[in-house]
Amino acid sequence: ETGVTQTPRHLVMGMTNKKSLKCEQHLGHNAMYWYKQSAKKPLELMFVYSLEERVENNSVPSRFSPECPNSSHLFLHLHTLQPEDSALYLCASSQDTAKSGRPTDTQYFGPGTRLTVL
Amino acid sequence: AQKVTQAQTEISVVEKEDVTLDCVYETRDTTYYLFWYKQPPSGELVFLIRRNSFDEQNEISGRYSWNFQKSTSSFNFTITASQVVDSAVYFCALSERGNTGNQFYFGTGTSLTVIP
């Protein structure tokens, strides 16, 4: 595997379900990100992890819970979602050379998980 | 205020035409980076180019070229002799070291349709 992979590619879930999205990067990077992309809206940065520590949480609802067990893996745990949470969820990684926890270097993206909440 | 503005929401061109996608950015930093990404229908954002604020030389890569002009805070992207495979949403992005730390901003994207 190369680059950034995400599983599953498509997910349909009910509002009472619990599911997890997985992201894995094979680029040796030290920072990983979750973005939400809704139709007709700009990309929304949800979470940033640098050196496995969460450094950014842009007021994301608690029904989204990230986990970064190591620098290569990132999860997004989902529970009691709402229909408006339906979107494309993109994972990205970069080498955070500024050690600030925020991206300055090129981010490489995975293919995304298309989530539909019924 | 938008940090990255892509005023063109949708563009349609006929195959083999040239097309320019506009990007205007706003920053007070002297050190910053600009990016272009391509998002085909499959969904994955594909990195195209990164430029730093000290390098204003235009860049050409095959049919792609980029015009960076600090005087107008613009980083425009031109596709020459467009092809159907160029149909995608293109995002411009800015990375800067703001007062509260480094920040990364995406524009809202320009959807390009190349008609055969």
Side-chain angles (χ1 to χ4, degrees):
Chain A
E1 291 278 13
T2 58
V4 181
T5 58
Q6 289 186 244
T7 55
R9 294 294 308 276
H10 300 272
L11 178 62
V12 179
M13 59 187 288
M15 290 191 285
T16 58
N17 292 158
K18 290 184 180 181
K19 297 285 185 184
S20 295
L21 309 185
K22 178 183 176 182
C23 175
E24 185 173 358
Q25 59 97 0
H26 309 268
L27 300 169
H29 290 160
N30 62 7
M32 297 185 77
Y33 316 88
W34 280 117
Y35 285 88
K36 176 183 178 183
Q37 187 178 31
S38 305
K40 310 287 185 188
K41 285 188 174 182
L43 278 160
E44 301 172 49
L45 179 63
M46 300 175 72
F47 299 103
V48 178
Y49 276 84
S50 179
L51 299 173
E52 300 154 44
E53 290 187 14
R54 189 194 302 182
V55 294
E56 179 104 10
N57 176 353
N58 289 317
S59 303
V60 177
S62 59
R63 57 186 184 269
F64 295 93
S65 174
E67 179 190 0
C68 187
N70 56 60
S71 60
S72 298
H73 294 85
L74 184 65
F75 295 90
L76 187 62
H77 303 301
L78 317 170
H79 64 97
T80 58
L81 294 191
Q82 305 298 311
E84 60 264 29
D85 297 321
S86 298
L88 180 68
Y89 288 84
L90 291 160
C91 174
S93 72
S94 73
Q95 188 62 22
D96 181 16
T97 54
K99 295 195 167 111
S100 66
R102 300 189 186 195
T104 56
D105 212 330
T106 305
Q107 294 182 54
Y108 293 88
F109 285 81
T113 295
R114 176 72 62 185
L115 174 67
T116 303
V117 182
L118 301 176
Chain B
Q2 286 266 39
K3 299 290 284 186
V4 179
T5 302
Q6 294 180 255
Q8 304 150 308
T9 306
E10 296 180 358
I11 300 176
S12 290
V13 298
V14 177
E15 200 170 20
K16 297 185 183 175
E17 286 184 348
D18 299 347
V19 58
T20 295
L21 310 182
D22 298 333
C23 175
V24 174
Y25 62 92
E26 179 186 332
T27 181
R28 294 182 180 179
D29 283 7
T30 54
T31 302
Y32 53 90
Y33 296 89
L34 296 164
F35 304 81
W36 276 96
Y37 286 86
K38 173 183 179 181
Q39 187 177 36
S42 59
E44 179 175 354
L45 268 79
V46 178
F47 165 72
L48 296 178
I49 189 170
R50 180 182 88 144
R51 300 304 301 278
N52 74 57
S53 51
F54 298 107
D55 184 3
E56 279 195 80
Q57 281 193 353
N58 290 334
E59 180 147 346
I60 299 175
S61 176
R63 296 184 297 107
Y64 295 170
S65 62
W66 290 270
N67 185 347
F68 177 26
Q69 301 228 349
K70 289 176 81 169
S71 60
T72 55
S73 297
S74 66
F75 186 43
N76 296 338
F77 173 30
T78 297
I79 301 175
T80 304
S82 60
Q83 300 176 3
V84 173
V85 293
D86 296 327
S87 296
V89 181
Y90 291 86
F91 291 93
C92 180
L94 163 73
S95 170
E96 64 173 8
R97 286 192 175 91
N99 291 334
T100 56
N102 299 316
Q103 297 282 1
F104 202 95
Y105 303 93
F106 279 91
T108 50
T110 297
S111 178
L112 173 66
T113 301
V114 180
I115 304 165

